[in-house]
Amino acid sequence: METHKHLIITLDGPAGAGKSTVAKHLAKLLGISYLDTGAMYRALTLKALRLGIKFDDEKILTDLAKNTVIDFTEMPDGSLHVRLDGEDVALDIRSLEVTNNTFYAARTAGVRELMVGWQKEIGLKHSIVTDGRDQGTVVFPKADFKFYMDANFEERVQRRLKELQEAGKAVDAGQLKKDMQDRDQKDFTRAVGPLKKAGDAIVIDSTHLSIQQTVEEIMKHIQI
Ligand code: C5P
């Protein structure tokens, strides 16, 4: 179902709800781009880690973001890889260290302001399925279609566990659970851009749905 209409579809929700996999499928089906906004916060975090920058200093983090170029490059298979100052960091941003430190960038108002601006610019130029925490609330309040994807906590932990194991990473299930609880709590409660369902978003509970079923469920709501 390819479309020539300019289209913005937002997919917000907590970690492990399946947003990125579903967003990629949707984008492919519709013949539009997939924007992974979490990758942008992760890329800045990676840079701060490499430079040994103090995460709790919001001014330093904001200045770092101002001097950083985060963009995406399209791979031959059609997937988008995030680039940090021109370097492909798609793999490096998935480390546990980056995952567990991204909340610093995410809670910093100056950083969010820049990220939101970059995301809006991308949305002006491209039709996108965008996934994150604030896409339907802050970045694209006038999106054509908004979804809030959720799944129960145990299911989200199991999915993340499987994903990490399949990627060949050693994981401690108990620690992962604790880290995800902590990340949820931080995402829901930060003062700026918290994870929140937009009033007009459609809730998709994927607890008992496969990826394919989730995509089908979402597609039922997309009339173009
Ligand atoms: O989506 P992903 O799990 O890769 O995002 C990593 C972290 O980046 C999230 O836990 C959240 O703190 C932050 N994030 C955000 N706003 C977004 C996307 C991600 O604050 N739009």
Side-chain angles (χ1 to χ4, degrees), residues 37-38 41-42 102 106 112 132-135 183 187 190:
T37 62
Y41 290 91
R42 286 170 178 271
T102 297
R112 294 206 79 87
R133 306 294 187 283
D134 57 349
Q135 299 302 289
R183 194 141 77 95
D187 277 342
R190 69 173 158 258

Side-chain angles (χ1 to χ4, degrees), residues 40-214:
M40 300 170 76
Y41 290 91
R42 286 170 178 271
L44 183 69
T45 302
L46 176 66
K47 183 165 177 177
L49 278 169
R50 284 176 174 176
L51 295 173
I53 272 171
K54 276 182 69 192
F55 278 115
D56 46 8
D57 188 320
E58 301 212 345
K59 178 165 182 338
I60 293 182
L61 260 191
T62 304
D63 285 345
L64 181 72
K66 281 183 188 155
N67 291 299
T68 299
V69 178
I70 295 173
D71 59 10
F72 292 86
T73 183
E74 189 161 354
M75 304 310 283
D77 67 356
S79 65
L80 286 184
H81 277 196
V82 66
R83 294 195 316 166
L84 172 64
D85 298 322
E87 175 194 349
D88 184 334
V89 291
L91 278 181
D92 299 26
I93 59 162
R94 301 290 156 197
S95 73
L96 191 62
E97 201 185 11
V98 170
T99 302
N100 289 344
N101 283 294
T102 297
F103 74 94
Y104 289 106
R107 73 174 186 188
T108 302
V111 169
R112 294 206 79 87
E113 201 181 316
L114 287 163
M115 297 280 181
V116 167
W118 294 336
Q119 292 158 15
K120 283 186 186 214
E121 259 177 52
I122 295 172
L124 274 177
K125 287 191 204 132
H126 305 274
S127 282
I128 50 174
V129 178
T130 175
D131 93 37
R133 306 294 187 283
D134 57 349
Q135 299 302 289
T137 49
V138 176
V139 187
F140 299 109
K142 294 193 176 141
D144 300 279
F145 301 100
K146 296 184 188 178
F147 298 93
Y148 185 86
M149 265 188 76
D150 211 347
N152 84 28
F153 183 68
E154 280 305 324
E155 176 65 23
R156 291 194 282 119
V157 172
Q158 289 312 314
R159 286 181 191 168
R160 192 40 63 90
L161 196 59
K162 191 162 165 251
E163 189 181 303
L164 291 168
Q165 285 166 343
E166 281 174 3
K169 295 192 178 163
V171 246
D172 173 334
Q175 187 60 44
L176 175 73
K177 199 166 171 172
K178 205 183 140 294
D179 289 348
M180 282 182 70
Q181 234 156 11
D182 195 39
R183 194 141 77 95
D184 271 5
Q185 201 261 345
K186 289 189 169 101
D187 277 342
F188 279 117
T189 58
R190 69 173 158 258
V192 279
L195 170 56
K196 202 165 84 184
K197 183 188 104 55
D200 52 352
I202 297 164
V203 177
I204 304 288
D205 183 341
S206 70
T207 308
H208 303 292
L209 301 180
S210 66
I211 298 290
Q212 195 49 41
Q213 287 169 327
T214 310

